[in-house]
Amino acid sequence: MKTISENRAFGGVQGVYSHASEVCGCDMTFGMFLPEEAEHDPVPVLWYLSGLTCTHENAMVKAGAQAWAAEQGIALIFPDTSPRGPGVSNDDAFDLGQGAGFYVNATETPWAANFQMWDYITDELPRLLFSAYPLDESRQAITGHSMGGHGALTIAMSIPGRFRSVSAFAPIANPTASDWGRKQFTAYLGADTAKWAAHDASLLMKKRGFDGPILIDQGGSDQFLDLLRPEALAEAAASARQNITFRMQKGYDHSYFFVSTFMEDHISFHADALYA
């Protein structure tokens, strides 16, 4: 790995690192905050998956998460949202290609060559980090915003036992029924809609649910509500009798002002599960 930067923050270290990814076929960059406790013992981990157009940097600098993570002694990992580089396929639209990996393994040309974000997030990057840093693999939680909320929910429900808790800020909750989903799934996974169901949080909720607590915050004035479809996830959770806290936050939009407002709540929520 290559160290891009390291800065002291709240008693710990906020770093940015890059490495050659075998599954994505390019160099990948991620951010990681290690609290002071990591100097002595392995610490629990909270993964944060970012949304469309974002990189590792958005949440790292805008969410205000490090202060609350330091208070709880939790490491934060901020992966990138897609493969990048001059040899990586892209699209002129903001919601496809670089910055819009959707946390799936692409099977279609030209995306399949690099866009293997499911394997990167669930396998390659964890193996790299748990072998190199004082992180407690038995205590993991996951969260995300928008496209990253979609990724956090689908990954948590698809890998039983790995994550003690999952949360999301304004997740793309029902992508198989939304233009934020149908477009990308067609491009990355092909036209067979049966292959899409494994990446739809509302459908997964009905099918299997999650074996732990879930926290969802959704802005009531989110400009993308029709694309996010939070009502589908709420209905699926109710029908599955899922242990979930679903909060509509009046007046809040889709921005990082919204995310940062409720970040303390989410880290406290995950700390309760990670230290249980």
Side-chain angles (χ1 to χ4, degrees):
M1 278 186 293
K2 177 182 178 182
T3 299
I4 296 174
S5 65
E6 288 185 331
N7 299 95
R8 198 74 176 169
F10 302 101
V13 176
Q14 174 62 64
V16 178
Y17 310 93
S18 67
H19 70 104
S21 167
E22 291 185 8
V23 298
C24 293
C26 64
D27 287 348
M28 296 291 288
T29 301
F30 66 91
M32 180 171 62
F33 172 74
L34 286 176
E36 189 173 9
E37 288 83 350
E39 296 175 10
H40 309 288
D41 296 293
V43 294
V45 177
L46 176 59
W47 295 82
Y48 184 101
L49 305 185
S50 290
L52 285 168
T53 75
C54 293
T55 69
H56 68 282
E57 189 175 36
N58 295 71
M60 191 181 80
V61 301
K62 293 181 179 180
Q66 291 89 342
W68 310 119
E71 188 174 282
Q72 300 287 355
I74 294 172
L76 300 170
I77 301 173
F78 305 98
D80 204 346
T81 54
S82 78
R84 298 179 192 272
V88 176
S89 296
N90 201 8
D91 191 272
D92 290 338
F94 77 93
D95 57 356
L96 189 67
Q98 294 186 33
F102 255 77
Y103 305 102
V104 302
N105 286 341
T107 58
E108 303 301 299
T109 304
W111 312 106
N114 301 103
F115 282 69
Q116 302 297 309
M117 288 301 293
W118 181 276
D119 283 352
Y120 178 71
I121 296 295
T122 66
D123 181 44
E124 185 179 41
L125 186 58
R127 283 192 290 108
L128 176 69
L129 297 185
F130 286 115
S131 67
Y133 294 97
L135 304 172
D136 187 346
E137 192 171 1
S138 69
R139 293 186 291 167
Q140 297 185 65
I142 191 167
T143 187
H145 172 230
S146 193
M147 180 185 73
H150 140 79
L153 290 166
T154 56
I155 288 170
M157 285 189 278
S158 298
I159 310 177
R162 178 177 295 190
F163 302 99
R164 296 194 182 185
S165 52
V166 58
S167 73
F169 302 87
I172 300 175
N174 189 201
T176 61
S178 168
D179 288 343
W180 274 0
R182 288 182 300 221
K183 173 183 178 178
Q184 293 82 4
F185 290 171
T186 300
Y188 297 146
L189 303 176
D192 182 359
T193 58
K195 297 179 181 178
W196 302 357
H199 299 285
D200 187 303
S202 295
L203 299 181
L204 287 172
M205 183 67 72
K206 290 180 180 179
K207 181 178 180 180
R208 63 179 63 155
F210 177 66
D211 56 352
I214 300 175
L215 172 61
I216 306 292
D217 272 314
Q218 172 62 62
S221 296
D222 193 313
Q223 59 270 46
F224 303 115
L225 269 176
D226 290 343
L227 293 166
L228 301 173
R229 293 182 51 79
E231 68 280 359
L233 181 61
E235 291 167 4
S239 66
R241 294 175 171 82
Q242 172 70 46
N243 176 10
I244 188 170
T245 300
F246 194 107
R247 308 190 302 190
M248 290 294 293
Q249 301 291 1
K250 184 177 180 180
Y252 285 89
D253 60 16
H254 200 70
S255 71
Y256 265 94
F257 294 108
F258 157 65
V259 173
S260 62
T261 298
F262 299 103
M263 181 57 70
E264 180 184 8
D265 288 358
H266 282 244
I267 290 182
S268 296
F269 163 79
H270 290 296
D272 287 345
L274 292 168
Y275 286 106

